[in-house]
Amino acid sequence: MKSYHGVFNEQPLKAIQTRGWLRQSLERFRDGLTGHLEAAGYPFDKVSWHGDETANRCSFIWEPYEQTAYWVDGMLRCAILLEDDNLRAKAMRSVGHVLGHQRDDGYLGPESMRRLTRERLEDTGSLAEYKRRWRWPHAVFFRALMALNSDRRAAEALARHYLGDTEYEYGRGRDILNLEAALWAAGITDNQSLRKQALQWYAEFNRRYPRNPSTLAFMLSDQKDTQHGVTFNEMAKLGAIHYLHTGDVAALRAAENAYRKLDRDQMLVDGIPSSTEALRGKDPLDGHETCDIADYIWSVGYLLLATGDARYADNLEKALFNAGYGAITPDAKALQYFSGPNQLICDRHSNHHEQFRGRPHMSYRPNPGTPCCPGDVNRIVPGFASRMWLADGGGGLVAALYAPTVFTGRLGAEQTPVSVVQECEYPFEERVRFRFSMSEPTEFTFHVRIPGWCREPVLTINEEAYEAPLWSGSFVPLKRRFASNDVVELELPMECRLSRWPRGGVAVERGPLVYALPVAEDWRRDLQDERSTADMPAWNIHPADAWNYGLAVDQDSLAAQATFSRRQVPADTYPWTVEHAPVSIEIPARCIKGWDLARAEHVERTIGDGDGNEALATE
């Protein structure tokens, strides 16, 4: 019986060597938040998966373990991609401790998150007590074990964990997220008992919550989703994961339809849906939680694996290049809890969204208000890199996402060692070149992606034109006998275009990038922030120049009036900064007199917990 039904599958992280701006980005995280998140304060300096559980001061026992689990996953993937032994050792301290302290009944993780006995739960009659000990953060932490995808020991330990407590109700609430790690472990170990049990959880979840927006029935419907944004991204991917391990097309269609509705109802111009914290529509003044950037990239990656549809790769690039890098400082030492396409003041009182209004969640800080995002931000770039190079299931290789990297692995029926260098400055230039190296000529299929925004692509193989049609938004399979020094080159012409949004919003886009007016900025360290240090500062940022400009151009005149420029910068210059951006566009614009900022009043609000019918906290 076929155990995996995806069009593509992941390649091991260790097969990917990063270069250029992608490596610089990971190095900045290593030297910033990822390598030193304890500087952001609680819980990262007190609570860990290998530490003293008495330091946990949260009413929800699972809460700090969720936040630190994000960090461990991002840290380990960053370490593997950089081949950094010190960072890997720091991440493996938690991973090694958990694997090395498996209980006799198979349980992995903090003792305080073990479920109360059924008798004790029935005595108290307390659903709240059950939810205090939710195990859904295990699903987050176990992604770090999944990063060790050649480590059978990790998969076997997960199998013992999930099979050791058959009474635990994983089909309840967010606990169903454990489906991801359980099916991964079942696939690695070919454990049919675990596979059957995990699928029963998902069936129970869909039966138990008939009106929950995360069920297959709701996702298949045309109903608009307004739930918590992080909950959406964590839960909606489960339909695609279910399909990968069962071939259940209905489950895949549900996940695809959920993300189609997300694009229709919630997507913002920078590639991430509005989610502050609920899904709120397409208002360009809204924004998104940084957790949603990490979780959207990770979740949409599963749809790419399941379908082989190039539009999901387009979505991943847009999300990282615009929302992802917009939510962090260039030195990767501070982040926003809420970010978005239109933000002019980023200080300790500037959050204009309904949730946490008037608080520092929209400013750049090591810990800008709620610790989930400081943990999750570390997963953004590694999550993207994890889906760059994929396998096609037939010994072939897929260049799914474009960034300077080298893939090294075994391809073809003979499993010949092959190295492929991806040379590019994409997305800042239109050319992507692949150079092949191998000990002997080998036949396999090499897939390249034509982005959906590219209308006139050009593909050459060893400088000879590829004659077959090239369709926008597709993968092109090149089946041939490859040899050392073969070169496949893509030219992906980028055109300026205008996209329109509510409230008269207009954006300038070119290729996968969204362009912004370069307003001068006044950065000042916030000395009131107790977590701010000279090395890891919190910032208050205000505009130091006029910002109230409107475009004096329409789509018909755009091509004639827009001037695109690319400047040469030293090879080691980090491009994701305003000062060193290698590309720019000049377009006629006018300053609009009387267009000013309005002050919003503070609002108190209750947020949901992901079940769709109960409250976690009031902020």
Side-chain angles (χ1 to χ4, degrees), residues 171-287:
R172 186 172 226 160
R174 271 207 194 181
D175 273 338
I176 190 57
L177 294 179
N178 284 275
L179 181 77
E180 178 182 14
L183 287 179
W184 173 83
I188 295 291
T189 61
D190 195 29
N191 190 316
Q192 295 305 311
S193 295
L194 177 57
R195 179 179 179 275
K196 180 180 179 181
Q197 181 170 296
L199 296 178
Q200 288 174 345
W201 301 339
Y202 198 42
E204 172 63 15
F205 171 81
N206 282 283
R207 184 201 64 77
R208 184 190 290 267
Y209 303 104
R211 291 175 293 182
N212 188 293
S214 295
T215 59
L216 293 174
F218 185 94
M219 290 194 293
L220 276 168
S221 76
D222 198 47
Q223 289 180 265
K224 183 178 180 179
D225 199 337
T226 57
Q227 68 175 309
H228 182 221
V230 171
T231 300
F232 171 90
N233 280 301
E234 286 281 22
M235 302 286 263
K237 71 177 186 292
L238 297 181
I241 292 173
H242 187 277
Y243 168 81
L244 288 173
H245 294 272
T246 65
D248 183 347
V249 175
L252 176 59
R253 294 291 173 261
E256 286 201 282
N257 194 55
Y259 278 91
R260 180 191 63 80
K261 292 190 294 182
L262 194 74
D263 288 343
R264 180 193 70 187
D265 301 328
Q266 321 287 355
M267 188 58 67
L268 300 179
V269 67
D270 58 2
I272 292 294
S274 67
S275 44
T276 55
E277 290 188 358
L279 300 172
R280 296 190 183 279
K282 306 185 81 164
D283 190 327
L285 293 182
D286 215 311

Side-chain angles (χ1 to χ4, degrees), residues 273-339:
S274 67
S275 44
T276 55
E277 290 188 358
L279 300 172
R280 296 190 183 279
K282 306 185 81 164
D283 190 327
L285 293 182
D286 215 311
H288 30 63
E289 187 181 345
T290 295
C291 279
D292 273 295
I293 304 174
D295 292 337
Y296 178 87
I297 287 174
W298 185 249
S299 298
V300 169
Y302 278 112
L303 293 174
L304 172 60
L305 296 175
T307 67
D309 191 329
R311 66 185 160 129
Y312 295 120
D314 292 353
N315 293 348
L316 292 178
E317 289 186 346
K318 189 170 188 179
L320 174 67
F321 298 160
N322 300 285
Y325 285 112
I328 58 175
T329 54
D331 61 6
K333 292 184 176 181
L335 72 144
Q336 294 174 289
Y337 186 87
F338 289 149
S339 58

Side-chain angles (χ1 to χ4, degrees), residues 8 18 20 114 131 184 271 282 311 330 339 345 364 401 409 425 501 535 564 578:
F8 300 145
T18 57
R114 297 183 71 137
K131 294 176 70 173
W184 173 83
K282 306 185 81 164
R311 66 185 160 129
S339 58
I345 298 175
Y364 292 90
L401 305 169
E425 291 301 324
W501 302 85
D535 190 53
F564 171 77
V578 174

Side-chain angles (χ1 to χ4, degrees), residues 2-20:
K2 184 178 179 181
S3 60
Y4 185 82
H5 298 266
V7 175
F8 300 145
N9 204 347
E10 290 186 5
Q11 295 281 8
L13 275 180
K14 64 183 181 181
I16 303 170
Q17 180 186 7
T18 57
R19 291 184 174 181

